Each structure stands twice: as C-alpha cells, then as structure tokens.
Amino acid sequence: MAAEIIDGKAIAARLRARIGEETAAFVRETGITPHLAAVLVGDDPASAVYVRNKQRACEQAGLKSTLHRLDATTSQSELLSLVDRLNADPDVHGILVQLPLPEHIDETTVLDAVTPLKDVDCFHPENVGLLSQGRPRFQPCTPAGCQYLLAETGVQTEGSHVVVLGRSEIVGKPMALLMVQKGKAANATVTICHSRTRNLQAITRQADILIAALGRPEFVTGEMVKEGVVVIDVGINRTEEGKLVGDVEFTSVAAKASAITPVPGGVGPMTIAMLLQNTLAAARLQTSAQ
Ligand code: NDP
C-alpha cells in the first residue's frame, strides 16, 4: 500500500487561516494587534529567508511584525540591550531571536534574557519547565507542529511507541515531552535516541511513529523502519547539488510507511504556523495580565 503523504503545507495553510480569524476577532475585541518582533544578527542568508517567511506569514494572518537587523559585529551586551527594550515595550507581544547567533555571542544568555511572557519560541527555562510539567504556556514551535500533523492525519498516538531521533533543546527533547504528556495526540511511549545510542536500528525498527531530527541528510533508510510506520521528517539539509532533503531517505522509507511527511512541504510550514499561534497567545496573556 502506498504511504499517505502528510501535506504539511496544506495543513499549515488551514491553521494559519484559523489563526487569522482568531486574530481578527482579538483585534476587534481589544483594539490590540498582536506584534512579533524578530531579531536577526548577521547576514546568514538562510536565517534571512526564515525570518522573511515568518514575517510574511504574520502579515498574512493580520499580526504585526517588525524586524530588528543587527550587524554581525554586534556585541552581546548590545544585543541584550535590544532584548531588554523589546521586553519592556508594551506594543511588542512576542520576541523571536533568530538562531544561530554569531560565535562571539552566547545563545543561552540571550535566549534566557527574553521575558518568559514574550518567549514565543518556548526556549526560556521557565516555559520549558511548564511544558515538562504538562501545563505549557507556549508550544515549542517545531515539535508542536509535528504533533499537530499527527493529530490532523488521525494517527493513533495513545499507547504507540514513538521513537525520536535527536535530543536537541529545540526539537528532540521538547518533542519527546509533548508525546509523553497525558492528553490528545500524546499518551505515547517514548524513546529518545542520539549519537551515543547503541544499536539504533534495533530501536527504530520498533517505532510505530518515527520522528527524525538529526540534521543528517537521508540518514533513516527503509531497512531501519518497520512496515506501517508513520514517519515525521524534521530534517532540512541541503545537498552539495543544492537539493533540499530531510533526515529520511524518502523513497525507501515511504515504500514501508503508512504515512510520511515530505521535505520540503512537511514540518517546515508547521513551525511558522505555531509561531503565529504563540504570538496570538502571548498577546492574549499580556492583555489579560493588564
Ligand atoms: P542538532 O544538531 O541540535 O541536534 C541533532 C541531534 O541528532 C543531536 O541530539 C544528535 O546527538 C543527534 N544525532 C546526530 N547524528 C546522529 C546519529 N548518527 N545517530 C543518532 N543521533 C544522532 O539539530 P536540531 O535538533 O536543531 O535540528 C535537527 C534537524 O531538524 C536539522 O536538519 C534542522 O535543520 C532541522 N530543523 C527543522 C526545523 C523545521 O522547521 N522543519 C526546525 C528546526 C530544525 P547528540 O546530542 O549526541 O549530539
């Protein structure tokens, strides 16, 4: 049986349209337009594209977005001053510091400086703590996007064995936290694998749902998965020929999977939709706190 291709682009478009309606209602009720401030340091072309896409999506959904572009030589204290200003600005509801930052800047220090109520990427320790306790303030964008895709596809997660490849703070760990939570599209039995995992294939072959977030082009092959597996490919890698590929070798894995996300057009668009959702949630939180 051919695998169902999980159309992240279409699912994200529907979600963005819904967020647009909710934003319009919020603006009508409060007179306040949710506002995402993006901070881009340096001139990494991929980061510039990501930020532009996020800004465009904000504008299409009726959210305000502003970009603070800083030179690659900006010092850490200058960046922290900007974050402080944005933290204190009542017109700004969400702050996004685009990663990676230049090497002379400590990412953790900067991300920790974003006030938790405006931390729409859900990176602040307070928000990660709330998430781990099952009472999230914000959703971690990429993992929540993956979970949303599973829910929209009608995948049974309860009691299923979810294997997450990768343990990063941005994807792997929060992904596992979401899936192990009590509740809808969760209640899974979760295994996290990383570069020190022994006998990886023996574990991936047990997965009912495999979520790959390694940053290794086409790492997961057909022989690493069982028949009927659902595969979410978070990876975005550019090959030497300039082609965009995921962490999953699509053809051989799709031949065994019951459902699979493509790259591009799978997880990527969901990350942006979740960022919009968090910005609206942040505006609601800050408005109700006034
Ligand atoms: P990181 O490099 O931070 O983490 C990669 C993880 O994979 C690490 O935990 C690492 O293990 C593990 N790993 C690497 N090689 C192996 C291996 N051979 N076997 C087992 N585990 C391995 O990456 P991110 O989590 O930030 O991103 C992962 C991928 O997802 C990237 O391709 C990135 O571009 C993409 N991405 C996509 C997004 C989207 O919107 N679609 C958003 C964010 C990321 P260890 O910890 O031991 O080093």
Side-chain angles (χ1 to χ4, degrees):
M1 205 180 76
E4 176 184 353
I5 308 298
I6 302 173
D7 188 348
K9 211 171 157 190
I11 294 171
R14 286 200 295 276
L15 176 58
R16 288 207 317 268
R18 204 186 73 207
I19 296 166
E21 287 164 16
E22 288 178 16
T23 301
F26 178 79
V27 174
R28 274 197 307 276
E29 281 161 29
T30 63
I32 294 167
T33 303
H35 176 184
L36 176 72
V39 179
L40 177 61
V41 187
D43 35 35
D44 176 50
S47 294
V49 171
Y50 289 143
V51 168
R52 204 177 312 127
N53 289 343
K54 289 168 186 174
Q55 285 201 286
R56 197 176 301 141
C58 274
E59 281 145 22
Q60 282 168 357
L63 290 88
K64 179 176 168 185
S65 83
T66 46
L67 173 61
H68 299 264
R69 241 196 136 129
L70 302 179
D71 198 81
T73 57
T74 301
S75 70
Q76 179 164 309
S77 65
E78 284 169 322
L79 177 55
L80 288 172
S81 302
L82 172 61
V83 170
D84 278 348
R85 281 204 302 283
L86 296 173
N87 282 341
D89 184 346
D91 181 55
V92 170
H93 304 103
I95 301 171
L96 160 95
V97 180
Q98 183 64 43
L99 302 179
L101 291 170
E103 272 184 9
H104 64 278
I105 296 178
D106 181 53
E107 283 185 357
T108 307
T109 304
V110 174
L111 297 179
D112 284 1
V114 174
T115 191
L117 282 179
K118 298 188 181 184
D119 170 39
V120 286
D121 265 329
C122 196
F123 290 159
H124 192 283
E126 182 177 313
N127 289 326
V128 177
L130 288 169
L131 172 70
S132 77
Q133 289 187 348
R135 46 189 188 125
R137 176 185 280 143
F138 296 118
Q139 298 288 335
C141 296
T142 300
C146 296
Q147 187 184 36
Y148 194 92
L149 289 178
L150 292 170
E152 284 291 296
T153 312
V155 174
Q156 161 85 25
T157 58
E158 183 156 333
S160 294
H161 187 190
V162 172
V163 174
V164 179
L165 297 182
R167 59 174 165 182
S168 73
E169 305 301 334
I170 296 178
V171 191
K173 263 193 224 168
M175 185 75 244
L177 278 175
L178 284 182
M179 297 313 299
V180 81
Q181 232 56 273
K182 288 183 180 168
K184 203 173 145 267
N187 272 327
T189 302
V190 180
T191 302
I192 306 178
C193 300
H194 47 79
S195 67
R196 310 299 162 91
T197 299
R198 257 182 245 136
N199 214 350
L200 189 68
Q201 183 161 319
I203 300 170
T204 55
R205 285 179 69 92
Q206 291 173 35
D208 301 310
I209 300 168
L210 184 70
I211 304 177
L214 302 126
R216 298 259 179 272
E218 301 181 318
F219 179 90
V220 178
T221 56
E223 63 200 17
M224 292 174 71
V225 298
K226 71 175 179 189
E227 288 288 338
V229 65
V230 173
V231 178
I232 305 288
D233 188 354
V234 183
I236 303 176
N237 312 286
R238 205 167 278 283
T239 63
E240 279 175 13
E241 301 81 53
K243 195 179 155 215
L244 217 54
V245 297
D247 288 347
V248 174
E249 207 281 297
F250 187 85
T251 310
S252 66
V253 175
K256 290 172 90 176
S258 58
I260 184 167
T261 58
V263 177
V267 174
M270 292 304 303
T271 299
I272 296 182
M274 289 298 164
L275 179 70
L276 303 187
Q277 183 158 284
N278 282 344
T279 305
L280 174 58
R284 282 195 175 119
L285 276 172
Q286 285 156 62
T287 307
S288 65
Q290 273 169 10

